[in-house]
Amino acid sequence: MSNTIDEEDSSASIEEPRLWRDNGWTARVIKNDDDDGWAVEMTMHGEPEPALVGPWTMGRDKKNPKPLDKAAFITLVKTASEVVRRHEQHLHALLHKRVEVNTATGRINVTLDIVPDDDDPHAVLSATDSDGEQQARLRVPATFKLNAASAAAWIDGGYRRPG
């Protein structure tokens, strides 16, 4: 039977010196390719790549890694979760832009939602009034730059396709 993480039941807890699994995460102590030391990788269950890879402490014999324990695992889960959260926030900020424009008829919220499709990258530009009523929605190139000036020009132009 193969001993890879992917093929095992990812819901089963494991508490071994170099492998811990619990609460949706797997910590694995690995040989550090950059030097003679050790590293630990934290992988969220279901993800193909580790969310975090960092140095790991040598054991007392200065050859083998220090064994994983509950306190270290909890700290690693907290750190890796924070890395994932920051990555998600950054990605959201890159793909979703929002600008408010004051007009004679009231405030208009303009949003740009980028769809990073490999075959058909594009964005959706939309406008809603202060009551949440959609004023316009159209597909634009993923390279469209949303800022206060471009939003105001779109509104002033009657929501026609930006040129």
Side-chain angles (χ1 to χ4, degrees):
M1 179 170 140
S2 174
N3 194 23
T4 64
I5 295 300
D6 298 333
E7 294 175 10
E8 293 178 5
D9 177 10
S10 63
S11 65
S13 292
I14 296 174
E15 295 180 2
E16 297 176 359
R18 293 189 190 180
L19 177 68
W20 273 60
R21 177 189 299 135
D22 201 8
N23 297 326
W25 287 93
T26 298
R28 183 192 316 256
V29 176
I30 57 173
K31 191 76 175 123
N32 188 340
D33 293 333
D34 297 334
D35 62 27
D36 292 333
W38 296 89
V40 63
E41 62 181 22
M42 291 295 296
T43 306
M44 187 185 311
H45 296 175
E47 294 298 318
E49 296 291 324
L52 175 70
V53 178
W56 189 245
T57 308
M58 289 282 212
R60 291 182 185 207
D61 66 2
K62 302 297 181 206
K63 281 194 323 190
N64 294 305
K66 178 180 170 186
L68 285 164
D69 60 27
K70 187 170 188 75
F73 184 75
I74 290 169
T75 301
L76 288 165
V77 167
K78 185 177 177 181
T79 303
S81 296
E82 180 64 20
V83 167
V84 168
R85 188 182 68 77
R86 278 195 226 132
H87 175 73
E88 288 170 348
Q89 286 176 333
H90 177 72
L91 186 59
H92 181 80
L94 288 174
L95 299 178
H96 305 283
K97 308 285 184 191
R98 182 175 176 272
V99 174
E100 290 185 355
V101 178
N102 289 318
T103 68
T105 59
R107 181 170 293 199
I108 302 292
N109 292 309
V110 178
T111 59
L112 180 72
D113 293 306
I114 299 171
V115 180
D117 187 302
D118 287 339
D119 297 326
D120 184 25
H122 62 280
V124 176
L125 184 64
S126 60
T128 55
D129 63 20
S130 58
D131 294 329
E133 295 271 334
Q134 189 171 74
Q135 301 299 304
R137 179 181 170 95
L138 61 97
R139 183 179 169 132
V140 295
T143 56
F144 182 82
K145 300 292 183 211
L146 178 63
N147 54 42
S150 66
W154 183 49
I155 294 166
D156 292 344
Y159 302 108
R160 285 189 297 278
R161 185 168 303 282

